[in-house]
C-alpha cells in the first residue's frame, strides 16, 4: 500500500468513483474495483459507502474469497462477490463496475436486448447478456449478488462480454483498465437512452458485429480524452 503503484491505483479508483457518480451512473449505490497490480489475486474497492464521498483513506483490499484485508477491520460492499468471481474468471479484466444506472433497467426486464446504437458503444458487441437470478436461487431472493454461487453464475452469464445486465437490478461492466471500464459504464447508460428513443421512432439499425468490433478498437485508443473531461468536471474535488 506504500508503493507509488498503489498510490496511483488508489487515486484513479477514487476519481472513478467520483466520475461515475457525477455522470449519473452511480447514485448512493454502485461500486467500482481495480485489480491490484502487484498481487493479481486481490483488488482495491471502497469500504461500504456512497461512491461520491469516497476518499483514498476509504479504499480497502479484498481477496477472491471476499475477505477484506484492512487493519481497521472495515467492511466493503455486500455485493463484493461480483468482483471476486469476475476477476477470478477473467484474467484480462483489470476493473469492474456494478451500478444501477437507470436507463438500462428496461432492457433487462423485456425482450428488448441492449445493442450498440452508435459507434461509441461498439464494446457492446452483437448483444448484451442478461443475468436471471431465478435460475440460481428461484423467486425468493432479494435480487442481490450476496454470495459466491451468485457471483459465479453472474460471471458465467458475462462470459467474454464487456457488459451484462442483471434483470430488475442493474448491470456490470468490465474493462482492461479502469479508464476503459468508466468509459464503457458511461456509454452503456447513454446507449440505453438512445436505443429507447430510437425504438419509439421505428426499427433501429444497429452496428454490425464488425462495425462494433472496429469502433471498439478505435475508441480504446481514445479513452484518455473523455476521462480528462469527466475529471475536470469534478470541480472543488480534492481527489480529482
Ligand atoms: Zn446492486
Amino acid at each position: 500500500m506504500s508503493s507509488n503503484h498503489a498510490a496511483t491505483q488508489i487515486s484513479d479508483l477514487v476519481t472513478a468513483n467520483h466520475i461515475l457518480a457525477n455522470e449519473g451512473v452511480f447514485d448512493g449505490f454502485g461500486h467500482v474495483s481495480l485489480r491490484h497490480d502487484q498481487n493479481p489475486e486481490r483488488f482495491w474497492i471502497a469500504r461500504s459507502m456512497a461512491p461520491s464521498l469516497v476518499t483514498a483513506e476509504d479504499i480497502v483490499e479484498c481477496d477472491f474469497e471476499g475477505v477484506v484485508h484492512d487493519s481497521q477491520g472495515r467492511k466493503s460492499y455486500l455485493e463484493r462477490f461480483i468482483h471476486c468471481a469476475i476477476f477470478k474468471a477473467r484474467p484480462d479484466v483489470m476493473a469492474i463496475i456494478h451500478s444501477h444506472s437507470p436507463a438500462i433497467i428496461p432492457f433487462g426486464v423485456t425482450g428488448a436486448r441492449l445493442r450498440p446504437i452508435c459507434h461509441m458503444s461498439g464494446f457492446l458487441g452483437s448483444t448484451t447478456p442478461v443475468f436471471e437470478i431465478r435460475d440460481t436461487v428461484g423467486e425468493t431472493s432479494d435480487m442481490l449478488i450476496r454470495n459466491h454461487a451468485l457471483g459465479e453464475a453472474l460471471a458465467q452469464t458475462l462470459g467474454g462480454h464487456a457488459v451484462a445486465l442483471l434483470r430488475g437490478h442493474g448491470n456490470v461492466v468490465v474493462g482492461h483498465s479502469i479508464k476503459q471500464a468508466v468509459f464503457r459504464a458511461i456509454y452503456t447508460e447513454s446507449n440505453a437512452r438512445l436505443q429507447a428513443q430510437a425504438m419509439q421512432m421505428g426499427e433501429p439499425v444497429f452496428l454490425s458485429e464488425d462495425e462494433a468490433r472496429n469502433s471498439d478498437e478505435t475508441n480504446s485508443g481514445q479513452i484518455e480524452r473523455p476521462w480528462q473531461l469527466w475529471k475536470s468536471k469534478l470541480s472543488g474535488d480534492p481527489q480529482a
Side-chain angles (χ1 to χ4, degrees):
M1 175 127 182
S2 56
S3 76
N4 281 342
H5 278 294
T8 306
Q9 283 204 299
I10 289 171
S11 162
D12 282 349
L13 186 54
V14 170
T15 302
N17 270 278
H18 296 181
I19 287 174
L20 291 164
N22 203 43
E23 298 298 323
V25 172
F26 285 169
D27 49 17
F29 300 91
H31 22 95
V32 48
S33 63
L34 178 58
R35 192 190 289 270
H36 198 305
D37 67 359
Q38 305 295 307
N39 185 352
E41 300 206 340
R42 288 196 181 179
F43 58 90
W44 304 108
I45 191 167
R47 67 185 176 86
S48 194
M49 65 185 293
S52 60
L53 304 179
V54 169
T55 70
E57 286 68 43
D58 298 308
I59 304 298
V60 296
E61 202 177 314
C62 188
D63 66 24
F64 290 174
E65 293 306 308
V67 176
V68 176
H69 298 264
D70 181 59
S71 54
Q72 299 170 58
R74 296 174 298 178
K75 293 192 173 7
S76 186
Y77 301 100
L78 176 68
E79 290 191 293
R80 61 190 180 283
F81 301 103
I82 294 172
H83 306 263
C84 298
I86 294 173
F87 278 131
K88 205 170 175 179
R90 292 276 303 270
D92 62 308
V93 165
M94 288 304 291
I96 301 171
I97 296 165
H98 167 56
S99 82
H100 308 151
S101 70
I104 62 96
I105 298 288
F107 292 92
V109 300
T110 61
R113 286 288 169 265
L114 191 67
R115 295 178 62 188
I117 194 91
C118 77
H119 68 119
M120 298 309 287
S121 34
F123 58 85
L124 290 173
S126 52
T127 190
T128 310
V130 178
F131 175 67
E132 174 50 82
I133 196 167
R134 291 178 187 170
D135 293 344
T136 309
V137 286
E139 295 190 15
T140 56
S141 79
D142 64 358
M143 307 297 285
L144 300 184
I145 308 299
R146 52 169 56 249
N147 58 45
H148 286 298
L150 286 167
E152 282 159 17
L154 172 60
Q156 204 164 16
T157 297
L158 176 69
H161 293 264
V163 180
L165 309 192
L166 286 72
R167 194 262 308 159
H169 179 174
N171 71 91
V172 62
V173 179
V174 302
H176 304 302
S177 70
I178 191 153
K179 292 177 185 178
Q180 186 184 51
V182 166
F183 177 100
R184 289 174 167 180
I186 291 171
Y187 280 106
T188 296
E189 172 70 7
S190 103
N191 191 89
R193 281 198 306 271
L194 292 170
Q195 187 177 339
Q197 277 174 17
M199 286 164 63
Q200 283 180 350
M201 296 168 69
E203 183 76 27
V205 177
F206 296 103
L207 268 62
S208 72
E209 226 168 299
D210 282 345
E211 288 167 343
R213 189 181 53 251
N214 293 336
S215 309
D216 183 36
E217 259 176 49
T218 301
N219 291 338
S220 293
Q222 297 290 334
I223 48 173
E224 190 65 32
R225 191 196 302 189
W227 171 270
Q228 292 303 333
L229 170 69
W230 294 324
K231 193 173 166 180
S232 76
K233 288 163 72 180
L234 305 171
S235 56
D237 184 336
Q239 295 293 331

